[in-house]
Every structure is written in C-alpha cells, then in structure tokens.
Amino acid sequence: MTNIIKGMSKRSSHFKDLYKWLLPIHPVTLPELIPHNPLSWIYFTYAYFTSTVSINTIHITYKDGMFVVSAPAEMKRLWCEGFFGKGVLSRSEATWFDRTSKRLGLGEFKNLTREEITALRREERKKFKKERAKLEAMQAELKKQGKVDPFVEEKLRVRELRDKELDVKDIKRETYIREEDSELLIDGKLTPLEFMELQPVEVFFLQFALGVVEVSKDGSVLSTEELFQLLTGDGGLTPSNPFLIQYIVYHYYRSSGWCARSGVKFGTDLLLYKRGPPLTHAEFAISIIPTSQTDMKFNEENAMNFIELSTISRIIGQVRKKLILTFVEIPSLENLTKAKDIKDILELYKVQEFMYRRFVPNRNRD
Amino acid sequence: MNKETLVSQVKQNLSFYNLWSDITEIQTTSFTFLQGKPKDPLTVQSTIDSTTDGISSELTKEQEQGQIPYELVYPIRLDSKLSPRDIHQLFKELEDFKGFKIEKIIAGILNDDSTIVYYNIYNGLVKPRRN
C-alpha cells in the first residue's frame, strides 16, 4: 500500500494524508515500547489501558430501494476510508457540488475533479479528430488530381496533437449556465443536491463486518438480522439467493484487502483495485458464477457459454485488466436451514477463482 | 425500486451530471421515455465521413445549423430484461407517439450503486463510426 502511494511522486504526500485509512475503522496506535527504558513501559501500560477505540457511526437511510448517505462529512469519510459508495451525480467520489460551483462561476479555483480531467481529455481528442479530418480531406483532394501528398508539416502537427500531454496548469475555466440551473440556486447559494448511494453489498459489509454504520428504514434503526432479511428478500432464504452470492464474493475480496467496486461499466460484477480508484486503475474484473455440487441443472443455467466469456474477456483485455471467474459453490438447502446465524450461513459457501485470458499461440510467449 | 424513482434518477443524471437541457418525460402505452438535448451533439460529423447515410440526413442538417437534436432515453434497471420483442415494441410505441421513424433510442441502465451506463440501440444497420 505504501509503495503505491510512494510511487505517485507528485501528489504523494497529499494522498498519504487523504487516504490514510484502508477502511473506516482506525486501529489504536500505542506508544513505542523500549525494553531498556522502564519509563516507556509505564507509558505503554498507561496508553494500553486508557486508549479506547472510538467509532463514529455513519448514518445510512434506506428509501425507495436506495441506501443513502447525505451528510457531507460522512460521504467524505466513506470515500476516503476504503472507497465506499458513489455520488449519484458523479462518476465515483461525490464531487458534484464542487464541479457545479465552478461551472456556475460560484466557487474558487481549486483542484480539478476527475470528471473535469476526463472532459479536458475528450476536448483535446476532439480537436485532434477535427484536424485529422481536415488533413485527410486535403489529401483526398490531391489524390483525385493525381498529385503526391506534400503535407509533411501538417501531418506532424496532427500527430503532435494526438500525442499531446494534458496540461492542467493553465486551463481557463469557462462558466456554463442553463435555464435548468436556476432551480439549483437559493439566494445565490448552490443547493447540495448530491447524496451518496451505497450498494447493498457495501452496506452489509459496513454493518456486518465492520460495524461502523447504522441503517434506518422508516425512522427506525435496523439490526444486522433485519438488514440481512431486507437484503435477501422475503419468501425464505434459498442457497442461490442473488444477494447472498454477491455478498460472499464481495466479503471475500474486501477481507483479503482489495478495494472492490461495481464492475457494471465493463460488464462484470466487480472491479478490484489494489488501493482505490483515484490511486491506481483496477487490476482485475470479477465475474461471479454460482455452482452447485449436486444440482447439475443449476450449473447449466448459471454457466457462461464461450461466446459470453469471449465477449467479456475481450472487453476486459482491451482496458488492460485481467478477467477472473469467481465460482461460488452453494450449500444444500438442508445445511442452510440448519445454520444458526449469519456467520454460519456465510461459512457454508466456498469460493474458487480462475483467471481467464485469451492466448494467441504465435504471439504470446508467456 | 419503483418506476418513478428509476425515471427520476436517470433524469437527474442527464440533467445535472451530463448537463442535458430541456428534459421532458414521454409516456407511451407501456413505457416511459426521457427526451432531452445533450450539451454537445452526440455524433460529431467530420468532413471526411459526412457520407454517413446510416444516420438520417435530417439530423445532419440540424447540426449544420448548429442545433443539437433531441435524444430519446429509455430508463431501465440493470437486473431487468430487455428482449428483441421489447426493443421492437419500444420503437413501435415511440414511432406511433411521434409520428415519424425513430432511428435510435438510448438505453439508460441504472445499477444498484446509482451508476448509469448509456447504450445506443439503433433501429437497423448503421455505418460504423470512426474512432
């Protein structure tokens, strides 16, 4: 973890502070114990008995089928400490308020949000395409007349434009205001419209595994069991419950230290980041396939055919990630009914993973 | 999640994330669509491939005048299903409503973490665009 952060030379110290915690739980730091210094023993013992683990509970509201966090400080904490949740009006971190303030010319010039950087990149790419099209039109015209293409300089210029590094230092920020934006402003102040939405698996992990949240529905706080009931649905728990299978895999990767987030943009179930989205790209994409030891019909229904596999694998390959097929072996209904509590239920499931990668015999050597 | 929440989430995303303007709901017999204008035109026509006869010429004319054409979005949840028959029905109802041929619908697919991915669904074959 520290290596990744160290590796990012420019912004390293800033990131180190901002993303100090891997999860929204903070271990107690005890003072150093020096064997030949009895004073340090006393101090250590004192600290050992007096320091308490303080957990600031994060409040989640369940409404209209969504798990919502709306206090800005709690949104920030969930994002910075483990990259949980997504701003409903942002790509990942809730940056809408910042972005919109700038767009409407209300805020000061601060750091660029990730969305703004992407927009700038697209702008540059558009410029390149326009120039390329111009050049190609001129070339086509000459070709018609049977002349040799003399545009050496122009070609170089277009190529330069293509390979241009993005310079975020001296960009001019332009305001862009629409009629719709008037409803955002009350007395010239921007209404904080954005909230954070959490995925069911994230909510349950935060509640069951970490115990750092409090989920309320219709004004009352849900217990872990009630939340589990809500997420797995009514009508009796079955071994192939979709939430349960998703959660098994989510819990599995989160507890092995990966930052797991939704993989919907790449057609998979999850994406695994070594640390988190702002620091590194996701390295792995996870597709979940439930399997059963006994029910062959179930296996057939859930198996992916090779066309589906190749579709996903090509997409994942193109974005330079690795595809992992994660098989979840489901227990029998009998064993599931025997399980006493949630922990017992989860322990009945087995996870097995395979890497799936296209191999071209006369090109790949490894 | 009910249908109103789905539609309003996609609408909000179009309006305040993608900065579309003039967004209205269109209710046909069995579907709800969103109609709006993107911030910039979605199909950039460069001089070299202005021969895109897959996209209607009307759209190109609008762009020449610097106007941004309206786009149609169909909000749908990620865990729901969309069969070829449904897609056919989408176009049919929209065409009955509008009274002219619809070339493209954008599916706005909502995931359980509020991520919305947009996919174009064309009514028939379209000449591929250059990257």
Side-chain angles (χ1 to χ4, degrees), chain A residues 167-200:
Chain A
D167 187 11
V168 292
K169 261 191 200 132
D170 40 44
I171 56 142
K172 280 187 220 106
R173 200 186 292 279
E174 279 168 25
T175 54
Y176 172 71
I177 304 171
R178 310 161 299 157
E179 222 181 284
E180 282 83 351
D181 295 320
S182 59
E183 59 188 86
L184 293 176
L185 297 171
I186 295 168
D187 297 330
K189 283 215 175 85
L190 183 61
T191 322
L193 200 66
E194 185 168 48
F195 55 87
M196 183 181 251
E197 187 173 345
L198 289 164
Q199 284 185 277

Side-chain angles (χ1 to χ4, degrees), chain A residues 307-323:
Chain A
I307 301 229
E308 287 166 330
L309 270 176
S310 120
T311 313
I312 298 178
S313 134
R314 269 308 185 108
I315 293 168
I316 300 307
Q318 243 164 27
V319 291
R320 309 208 181 278
K321 300 187 198 312
K322 286 166 190 151
L323 177 64

Side-chain angles (χ1 to χ4, degrees), chain A residues 102-346:
Chain A
K102 287 171 193 159
R103 177 169 65 81
L104 302 177
L106 299 169
E108 285 169 40
F109 190 100
K110 273 198 252 158
N111 287 332
L112 285 169
T113 59
R114 278 147 61 76
E115 285 84 353
E116 286 176 305
I117 292 171
T118 307
L120 283 172
R121 236 177 234 138
R122 294 211 173 121
E123 206 49 54
E124 290 296 321
R125 180 82 187 157
K126 236 187 243 169
K127 270 187 221 159
F128 154 69
K129 280 190 190 172
K130 219 172 168 182
E131 288 300 313
R132 179 180 67 180
K134 247 193 234 162
L135 178 63
E136 281 173 3
M138 289 194 289
Q139 284 170 328
E141 188 56 41
L142 277 184
K143 210 173 175 186
K144 248 190 232 161
Q145 297 166 15
K147 284 183 197 149
V148 189
D149 164 19
F151 301 114
V152 185
E153 244 173 70
E154 283 85 347
K155 259 190 228 159
L156 270 176
R157 207 164 54 87
V158 169
R159 199 167 304 154
E160 234 169 64
L161 210 52
R162 185 190 64 192
D163 302 329
K164 198 175 147 195
E165 288 284 325
L166 193 65
D167 187 11
V168 292
K169 261 191 200 132
D170 40 44
I171 56 142
K172 280 187 220 106
R173 200 186 292 279
E174 279 168 25
T175 54
Y176 172 71
I177 304 171
R178 310 161 299 157
E179 222 181 284
E180 282 83 351
D181 295 320
S182 59
E183 59 188 86
L184 293 176
L185 297 171
I186 295 168
D187 297 330
K189 283 215 175 85
L190 183 61
T191 322
L193 200 66
E194 185 168 48
F195 55 87
M196 183 181 251
E197 187 173 345
L198 289 164
Q199 284 185 277
V201 286
E202 292 178 310
V203 174
F204 197 68
F205 184 76
L206 290 165
Q207 162 96 34
F208 170 76
L210 303 181
V212 292
V213 295
E214 201 176 79
V215 185
S216 15
K217 187 195 171 200
D218 305 324
S220 56
V221 177
L222 299 178
S223 68
T224 306
E225 284 70 29
E226 284 168 332
L227 180 64
F228 187 71
Q229 176 72 38
L230 174 74
L231 294 170
T232 48
D234 306 324
L237 191 63
T238 58
S240 63
N241 184 284
F243 169 75
L244 203 46
I245 289 171
Q246 289 272 334
Y247 184 69
I248 294 285
V249 177
Y250 184 83
H251 189 109
Y252 173 74
Y253 287 115
R254 271 285 183 187
S255 49
S256 0
W258 291 96
C259 166
R261 294 183 57 83
S262 164
V264 65
K265 278 178 186 143
F266 302 106
T268 60
D269 291 295
L270 291 173
L271 290 177
L272 297 188
Y273 297 80
K274 221 176 210 157
R275 190 63 175 83
L279 301 155
T280 47
H281 283 289
E283 231 172 300
F284 299 103
I286 308 293
S287 256
I288 302 173
I289 306 173
T291 62
S292 158
Q293 281 283 16
T294 49
D295 189 348
M296 290 307 136
K297 200 173 155 251
F298 178 81
N299 288 342
E300 215 159 286
E301 280 163 7
N302 285 286
M304 258 192 251
N305 67 39
F306 280 105
I307 301 229
E308 287 166 330
L309 270 176
S310 120
T311 313
I312 298 178
S313 134
R314 269 308 185 108
I315 293 168
I316 300 307
Q318 243 164 27
V319 291
R320 309 208 181 278
K321 300 187 198 312
K322 286 166 190 151
L323 177 64
I324 291 175
L325 305 175
T326 303
F327 290 87
V328 178
E329 192 187 305
I330 63 166
S332 66
L333 184 59
E334 198 197 335
N335 284 346
L336 188 73
T337 5
K338 269 194 243 159
K340 286 190 300 290
D341 53 17
I342 299 170
K343 191 170 156 277
D344 270 5
I345 293 174
L346 299 183

Side-chain angles (χ1 to χ4, degrees), chain A residues 64 66 86 88-89 96 99 103 125 129 132-133 136 176 178 180 184 193 197 199-200 262 264, chain B residues 1 5 9 12 15-17 19-22 39 46-48 78 111-115 117 130-131:
Chain A
D64 296 327
M66 290 188 273
K86 179 186 164 294
V88 285
L89 296 172
W96 178 84
R99 260 171 19 236
R103 177 169 65 81
R125 180 82 187 157
K129 280 190 190 172
R132 179 180 67 180
E136 281 173 3
Y176 172 71
R178 310 161 299 157
E180 282 83 351
L184 293 176
L193 200 66
E197 187 173 345
Q199 284 185 277
S262 164
V264 65
Chain B
M1 184 191 286
T5 324
Q9 258 199 296
Q12 204 187 35
S15 179
F16 295 115
Y17 177 70
L19 304 177
W20 284 29
S21 49
D22 205 2
K39 186 170 176 238
S46 50
T47 45
I48 196 96
L78 180 74
N111 186 28
D112 64 358
D113 72 341
S114 84
T115 303
V117 283
R130 210 182 152 190
N131 190 27

Side-chain angles (χ1 to χ4, degrees), chain A residues 90-105:
Chain A
S90 305
R91 202 166 61 190
S92 44
E93 185 182 4
T95 55
W96 178 84
F97 191 84
D98 240 31
R99 260 171 19 236
T100 310
S101 304
K102 287 171 193 159
R103 177 169 65 81
L104 302 177

